[in-house]
Amino acid sequence: MYSIRRRLTISYSLALTATVGTFAAALYLDRRASANREQEEQVTARLNVEASFGRRVLQEQYRTTQNLVARIPTIGADGPTLGLQRDVGNYFEGIRDVFAIADGQGRLLYSSGLVRELPPAATTRIRQALTRQPIERRAGRMTLVPGEEPFRYVIEPVPGVGDGPATPQTWVLIVAARPEGTPYGPPQLLMSMLLVAPLILVASSLLGYWLAGRSLEPVDDMIAELEAVQDGRSLHRRIAVPPGGDEISRLATTLNAMLVRVEQSFTSLRRFTADASHELKTPLMVLRAGVERSLTHPETPPDLVHALDEALRQINQMTELVTNLLTLARADEGRASLVTANADLRHFVVEVAETAELLGAEHGVTVHTTLPDRAVVAAVETGRIRQLLLNLITNAVKYTPDGGTVELSLEAEDGEAIMMVRDSGIGIAPGDLEHVFDRFWRADQARSRTGDRPGVGLGLAIAKWIVEAHDGTIAIQSRPGRGTTVRVVLPMTTKAGVA
């Protein structure tokens, strides 16, 4: 289960990833389109300049020399071929793009070094473009090498030149080039984004995690305060309201108002329980005295003895319930203070073991006791420790079937006194273990001897309070059909004067 801080960080990271990804994609597409447009414009401008340069050179040289064509001897051919005069051709040697000139009859008079490097099929395409009718200025794209990027080209007519002054012609020149990549184009931009984006995302996620933690600090403080009042004895505490009047401040205010109402309810309930328990003690004592006097009176009819005996048993049970309720009510209000003294816990274990043997004899349960050889001294209130052990041993005998065993042991380990009560009884279901210390809670009542010691579900609650009041811990381990083990740990003392 993820915490709010982690969920906020994950959500923030996903949102940032989507935002950065969208921005990067838009930037890349826009940059690629701009780069392509810039390349086209640059190439087109260069080709126009080179085409104009070629036209001016040819026209000026023709006006000067009246003859631009020379016969160039060719090795292996039938005769010399026609071409531009060397002085004219030298003007075009600095052009690094595809550059070719054809006369009015479609004969190729000049081609740059790049044209000569192209395959024959490319040269044929250039001838076809130069001889295409009508002769006019054109620009566009053509594929000279299959599978490669098309060339941008400009075809420029050169009127007024020819073989001689009497036969002027219109020549044609072509200039073509591939678009060149910009020094920092889309591929480089994409690579930079792929390198930088993870760093941005990681740094932003860490920052988001830190900011989420800072934002949720008031919530953590509220949780700590609420955890401190779970025991019902710290309902007077209040949550600090953060400044600002935001949602967290409103939540703190609402929780404080709820705590006020809960404290009032708990106070009223505790006061009622304590007052009722205290007021019931006197009537119960009067009733018990009257019943006991009737039972011992020699003139009491025999048929009433059984009814009086049952009434006395119920009065004793009610008295025990009222006493337990009063004890817990005083403990909740903090008025059940302990008067402790150093004592050897072995004495209490021996006393309780004798009582356990008497209870076990009635139900066919064997009781075993294990004690250490040396004194186990702890600062305890003797009456409460006896009550603790009696509650535990009574429960163990009550839920152990005939022929079973109950073990009561005491040992000292690492400065702690460990008292354990084990039984071979019916055990406790896993779903019931978390409720065994709740007040008035009992497991399946069909499993208890309701006729002998039915109980009211307060014994373990009182045992837990006694242990915690002595700064100890109590734990229960149990499995259905395998018995139950109660482990009580109390801090030992090194003070002299054992009671």
Side-chain angles (χ1 to χ4, degrees), residues 6-21:
R6 187 173 299 179
R7 289 202 301 268
L8 286 175
T9 303
I10 293 175
S11 300
Y12 172 76
S13 300
L14 292 177
L16 181 63
T17 301
T19 303
V20 172

Side-chain angles (χ1 to χ4, degrees), residues 209-237:
Y209 185 80
W210 180 76
L211 291 175
R214 287 290 303 274
S215 301
L216 293 174
E217 280 183 359
V219 178
D220 292 334
D221 295 339
M222 292 182 192
I223 294 173
E225 289 292 334
L226 292 176
E227 287 177 346
V229 301
Q230 285 182 357
D231 57 0
R233 292 190 292 269
S234 303
L235 292 174
H236 62 280
R237 303 180 62 168

Side-chain angles (χ1 to χ4, degrees), residues 259-280:
L259 287 175
V260 170
R261 294 192 295 270
V262 172
E263 183 184 15
Q264 293 173 351
S265 299
F266 265 71
T267 302
S268 300
L269 180 60
R270 290 169 179 170
R271 186 179 297 112
F272 169 78
T273 303
D275 293 343
S277 301
H278 180 75
E279 295 298 329
L280 286 172

Side-chain angles (χ1 to χ4, degrees), residues 121-140:
T123 305
T124 302
R125 293 292 306 276
I126 293 174
R127 287 178 180 272
Q128 292 173 353
L130 290 172
T131 57
R132 179 181 173 183
Q133 298 295 328
I135 298 176
E136 59 184 1
R137 195 178 195 281
R138 297 193 302 274

Side-chain angles (χ1 to χ4, degrees), residues 40-121:
E40 294 286 343
E41 293 175 355
Q42 291 175 2
V43 171
T44 301
R46 188 175 77 244
L47 295 180
N48 288 330
V49 171
E50 292 175 348
S52 300
F53 171 76
R55 176 172 53 80
R56 289 197 305 270
V57 168
L58 292 176
Q59 290 177 341
E60 290 176 0
Q61 291 297 318
Y62 182 75
R63 286 195 298 268
T64 302
T65 63
Q66 298 295 316
N67 185 17
L68 300 177
V69 180
R71 295 183 178 275
I72 303 173
T74 304
I75 300 175
D78 295 337
T81 60
L82 297 178
L84 283 180
Q85 292 189 21
R86 182 181 299 275
D87 294 341
V88 178
N90 290 337
Y91 283 100
F92 306 126
E93 290 300 324
I95 298 177
R96 302 302 180 186
D97 297 323
V98 172
F99 187 84
I101 302 174
D103 61 8
Q105 300 177 12
R107 293 174 297 188
L108 191 63
L109 301 179
Y110 177 82
S111 59
S112 63
L114 185 57
V115 175
R116 293 189 292 270
E117 295 175 0
L118 294 174

